[in-house]
Amino acid sequence: MKKIILLTILTFIFRGNISAQNGGGCQKAIPLSPGFHVVDSMITGAATFKDIAPNPTKAIWYKFSPTQDGLMHISSCGGGADTRLFVYSGTCDTLGLFGFNDDYCVKDTTGDETASDISKYVKSGKTYFIEWDNAWDSVRFSFTLTLTTNYTPTEKQACQSAKIIKTGLTVVDSIFGFASHGDAGHANWYKFIPASNGKISISSCGIDADTRLWVYKGDCNALSSIAGGDDECDGETQMEIAVAVSDLDVTANTTYYLEWDDSWENVPFEFSLTFDPTSKVNEESLAQFITLAPNPAADFINVEFNFEKVLDVEVKIYNSLGQAILSRKIGSIQRWNEKFDVRDLGSGIYYLEIMSGTQRTSKKLLVNH
């Protein structure tokens, strides 16, 4: 299903656990072993998350207690129903959301893209509760549970397998890795290492996909969250359910991790990463004296400088890939005004960098023909 905003889920996550009265079916959970299983009907207990219309009224609950550490995989792909899956850890009194999935099987050869699939690293001796509800269907279906015991958790923090990306467009065919947030079943991880100080912007706007993004820095074993994105795009011109994280300060030679998860949807999509390559040395002292108009520009843009004193100035224009497409030494000026012809530039985001000695700043320029 397309994203139906699961505010109830997020509320429970931030509280840290799920109350027993909402998860009453947990006490009736059926012990489960790895293998193939058939669900004849949703008869075991009440549904936990009544966050959609019509509200789910029933759910069937299972519990799985692995005897060894390993990778647990639960899947209804090809099972013959439109399923919704929740996995919890803890006890029935204090359930904690461990994973959630809906509509994962995008590439399933049976065309059953409305099925669910979760992979999670589990620990021996702990009990995990599995809830299938009738949010979309209440028909007979099948699912499989497997436990890979020779799996070593080197990717438990999936950033360890993050794919290096550069500026530009990245295509995501499907989301298949490990999610760090309990309301997601899978996530894809990427990393970007800027060569200089500056700002990055990340966007999936304009793509018909319901996306969610987390941005981190630090070591994979001790990640520090620095930004996140969900539903920031302009609904009048773009899909507002997409992501836009803008002007995030980054430091040269530092690794930044991007986690796109399937909290809302798992379909192919694209995202762009742009980099403003400035050193940010005394930026504010220059930026307040610089004006660009009009912005966005279609044919010409007027650049105006009104400094407090005479400065020796150089101007460069970069494209979104960080490539300098214009470089011009203006010389010693205090006030200066000139039009730049942008008719030969493609529509998109550019950066005007102004340098004077150790001072420099940049201004974002939008070209829209």
Side-chain angles (χ1 to χ4, degrees), residues 45-59:
T48 302
F49 291 110
K50 297 181 179 181
D51 48 22
I52 60 175
N55 290 335
T57 56
K58 296 181 180 180

Side-chain angles (χ1 to χ4, degrees), residues 26 59 102 110 132 266 279 288 295:
C26 171
D102 184 25
T110 66
W132 300 92
N266 189 351
S279 70
Q288 60 183 317
N295 193 8

Side-chain angles (χ1 to χ4, degrees), residues 193-222:
I193 307 173
S196 62
N197 295 350
K199 291 181 182 288
I200 59 173
S201 295
I202 307 160
S203 172
S204 62
C205 295
I207 303 299
D208 186 14
D210 197 346
T211 53
R212 190 172 75 163
L213 171 67
W214 308 92
V215 184
Y216 313 89
K217 67 177 181 179
D219 181 82
C220 281
N221 295 316

